[in-house]
Amino acid sequence: MSALDSLEKKLDELFVKQLPALPAGLKKWIVTYLPWINLVIGVLTALAALGLWRTAHTVNQWVDYANQLSAAYGGTAKVNDLGPLFWLALIVIAVEAVLYIAAFPGTREKKKSGWNLLFYALLINVAYGFVVMFTDYGSVGSFIGSLIGSAIGGYFLFQIRSSYSKSAPTRKAKKA
């Protein structure tokens, strides 16, 4: 059993067996609309990552310009570019976006593989919170917020886990 399988089993024990169950109607609604919700979230997250990437490049260009200007006038102060943790956080956001988008076909067809991609995105979200905690714009509070958000998402995700099977239901072909 892999570490992810073990983690999934422990989280299932927590979120399904120890916490109250969601009403059946709400579970059905979530399973019906989850593929579309995650597709929208994935596209918005990808657009946000692209916007952050463009903004970061602009910021770095301005920082370089300010440092050159300072040096030209005899200044000794130097402003730092965005650090490697910023770029790592940006990569993590992009990976999360890809997972959300990639989960669309599997969750639409109620495949366990689609659910697994959402589970991985949930774990990536925790990793993002951890990475951001060590940047200039993050803190322990932002990491705790990420953990709380991931716990809420995990609760809903594990509540609907039983709706996803290892083999996908086959679509019926239309008669001509």
Side-chain angles (χ1 to χ4, degrees):
M1 178 181 279
S2 74
L4 282 176
D5 290 338
S6 176
L7 178 62
E8 184 180 334
K9 188 175 179 178
K10 288 177 185 177
L11 291 175
D12 182 62
E13 178 73 29
L14 171 68
F15 289 128
V16 177
K17 296 180 175 94
Q18 294 181 6
L19 294 176
L22 288 174
L26 180 57
K27 284 182 184 181
K28 184 177 178 183
W29 185 90
I30 292 171
V31 169
T32 301
Y33 293 105
L34 185 66
W36 300 102
I37 292 168
N38 282 319
L39 183 62
V40 169
I41 290 171
V43 168
L44 291 175
T45 303
L47 290 173
L50 180 61
L52 285 172
W53 181 77
R54 287 179 178 165
T55 302
H57 277 285
T58 302
V59 166
N60 277 342
Q61 288 173 348
W62 279 98
V63 165
D64 290 342
Y65 176 71
N67 286 335
Q68 290 170 4
L69 191 61
S70 174
Y73 287 101
T76 57
K78 183 174 185 330
V79 178
N80 294 327
D81 290 345
L82 296 171
L85 286 176
F86 173 85
W87 296 106
L88 179 60
L90 188 60
I91 290 168
V92 171
I93 290 172
V95 168
E96 191 173 1
V98 168
L99 288 172
Y100 279 128
I101 294 168
F104 176 76
T107 54
R108 189 180 62 195
E109 295 176 8
K110 296 180 181 63
K111 290 182 182 178
K112 178 73 166 56
S113 60
W115 184 93
N116 285 344
L117 290 174
L118 294 180
F119 177 58
Y120 302 151
L122 184 77
L123 297 176
I124 292 289
N125 190 44
V126 172
Y128 173 75
F130 184 76
V131 169
V132 168
M133 181 172 62
F134 295 103
T135 64
D136 291 339
Y137 56 91
S139 66
V140 174
S142 62
F143 178 63
I144 291 171
S146 177
L147 286 177
I148 291 170
S150 295
I152 292 168
Y155 171 74
F156 283 98
L157 190 61
F158 276 87
Q159 286 290 310
I160 62 168
R161 181 173 169 249
S162 62
S163 299
Y164 297 89
S165 64
K166 297 242 184 227
S167 60
T170 55
R171 293 184 182 219
K172 295 180 182 178
K174 292 183 180 179
K175 294 181 181 180

